[in-house]
Amino acid sequence: MKFPNELISLLASVQWMAALTGAGASQESGLRTFRDGQSGLWSQYKPEELASPEAFQRNPKLIWDWYAWRREAIKGVRPNPGHYALVQISRKVPGFTLITQNVDGLHAMAGSPEVIELHGNIHRVRCVRGDGVAGDWEEGPDGIGLCPKCGGFLRPDVVWFGEELPRAYLAAAFEASRKCEVFLSIGTSSIVQPAAALPYAARNRGARIIEINVEPTPLTPKTDHFLQGKSGEILPELFAAVWNRQIRG
Ligand code: BV8
């Protein structure tokens, strides 16, 4: 992809950058996106219907099994070149903050040193009664994880619709968005709040907004650069166009 010179010189000198990723950033690792991720038995459900405390209350087994199916689908999935390019970019930008809506853990697997996981992580579970986080767990007679401390149900350590995001993570994400000179929105439909408000918080402080997506989103009209295409292709090309040039001096 040919990048505008203005974009290349902007990035070559940037000191503060915030990047927000969505399910599209993991799509080229072979993970279907959140909205079109349902297949087989699960295609009869909308993900938003399942990813909620009410759904778990109503039918814990169904929800527990949905996450077990998703964990299974993620097994063996590896980061793609887009994840690795973000690790490279973080080494070039002194004030770089990576924020993700994804729960797949692929950024950490790619080597990103710090990731703000706004919506939690599907590989972790926690007790429905408290905050104890278990890495592995016993399952009860109905196949649902049981808390080793209180014996109550375990649940995935993710943020469901209608649930508050971890306050410290959200505060850190807004702080980075307000401080950055460049906000990079990658592979997200820019619909789910409060994550979708982050680029606007950056823009309101004068940051330039760059979006990478295979199709326009509600954010696109507000961006300074809309790079249409796959993030696993565009991010490595963008890194080469900006920072490799610096390496050659
Ligand atoms: C909150 C974890 C308040 C779980 C997720 C009405 C009723 C109830 C709530 C609301 C309502 N209206 C608004 C709300 C708020 C709600 C919300 O925003 N709803 C939306 C649907 C309108 N938000 C919440 O409920 C949040 N909590 O508001 O709490 C509160 C406050 C205080 C106290 C108490 C309560 C919680 C939101 C978090 C929900 N959890 N995930 C799980 O994963 O199971 S969100 C879920 O959707 C995913 O994690 C994902 O992050 C998110 C958005 O999806 P995307 O990542 O954008 O993925 P998507 O599939 O949508 O799009 C993929 C994009 O990639 C597309 O644009 C596509 O074009 C692009 N793409 C595809 N391939 C590529 C690509 N791009 C580049 N390269 C490619 N190769």
Side-chain angles (χ1 to χ4, degrees), residues 21-25 27-28 33-36 48 51 66-67 70 101-103 119 158-165 186-194 212-215 217 229-232:
T21 61
Q27 196 265 343
E28 288 151 270
T33 63
F34 186 75
R35 298 234 180 290
D36 66 20
E48 298 90 88
W66 181 48
Y67 281 90
R70 287 174 63 189
Q101 300 173 86
N102 300 334
V103 298
H119 295 160
V158 297
V159 179
W160 279 331
F161 286 97
E163 290 188 323
E164 191 178 0
L165 276 61
I186 304 159
T188 175
S189 53
S190 309
I191 295 169
V192 172
Q193 296 295 349
I212 298 173
N213 200 308
V214 291
E215 61 188 15
T217 72
K230 295 185 169 189
S231 52

Side-chain angles (χ1 to χ4, degrees), residues 43-84:
S43 44
Q44 62 187 297
Y45 302 99
K46 275 213 204 98
E48 298 90 88
E49 288 164 358
L50 298 174
S52 80
E54 296 74 22
F56 187 75
Q57 205 83 40
R58 218 176 17 251
N59 189 338
K61 173 81 177 134
L62 178 76
I63 306 311
W64 181 267
D65 287 351
W66 181 48
Y67 281 90
W69 172 73
R70 287 174 63 189
R71 277 194 293 273
E72 205 45 43
I74 290 181
K75 254 194 197 129
V77 167
R78 289 283 168 271
N80 65 60
H83 293 105
Y84 292 114

